Amino acid sequence: QVQLVESGGGLVQAGGSLRLSCAASGRTFSNYAMGWFRQAPGKEREFVGGVSRTGGRTGYANSVKGRFTISRDNAKNTVYLQMNSLKPEDTAVYYCAADRHTSFFVSTLINEYDYWGQGTQVAVSS
């Protein structure tokens, strides 16, 4: 079992930045690829980006590529999502998730992720 707790959400103006954190506890953090997803009101949860177990590989949705950066610190059991040049359409609840199946790459599939945090709200005003 892995427990995940997100933090760092809030309200920001368009063009601004936020840094989300996801702290993990429980099993060995480096055994899990990590992903960030988001869900806007009335929409399905969607993949934002992910990072492999060692941090050597990352992947992003086209909608955030070039603006968002994922990193992880396995010594601190934490994964981060740096969000720059935020847009109103980035408004959503952001979730981190842990994937114990994928060894070397990043999965974009929700069903590959075994553990989820409670989410943190990000609101971007125009």
Side-chain angles (χ1 to χ4, degrees):
Q1 188 78 5
V2 174
Q3 292 79 42
L4 302 172
V5 179
E6 302 95 338
S7 61
L11 175 63
V12 64
Q13 288 188 331
S17 298
L18 282 174
R19 188 195 196 202
L20 306 184
S21 300
C22 173
S25 61
R27 297 293 178 93
T28 303
F29 182 63
S30 59
N31 286 346
Y32 297 84
M34 298 297 296
W36 285 96
F37 291 78
R38 67 186 181 187
Q39 188 166 17
K43 294 188 176 181
E44 293 186 352
R45 193 170 297 189
E46 64 176 2
F47 174 77
V48 174
V51 59
S52 62
R53 293 180 180 183
T54 64
R57 295 179 185 266
T58 55
Y60 300 92
N62 287 335
S63 59
V64 306
K65 201 171 293 184
R67 300 187 297 122
F68 290 11
T69 303
I70 292 175
S71 60
R72 66 187 295 163
D73 185 338
N74 285 347
K76 295 183 178 180
N77 291 352
T78 303
V79 61
Y80 305 96
L81 180 65
Q82 178 67 45
M83 305 186 294
N84 298 329
S85 302
L86 282 161
K87 304 176 181 180
E89 51 264 43
D90 294 318
T91 295
V93 177
Y94 283 71
Y95 300 89
C96 71
D99 169 12
R100 61 188 171 94
H101 306 286
T102 307
S103 298
F104 301 108
F105 300 98
V106 173
S107 175
T108 64
L109 303 177
I110 288 179
N111 290 340
E112 288 292 319
Y113 290 82
D114 306 282
Y115 304 104
W116 293 81
Q118 294 299 308
T120 185
Q121 176 72 54
V122 171
V124 184
S125 63
S126 57

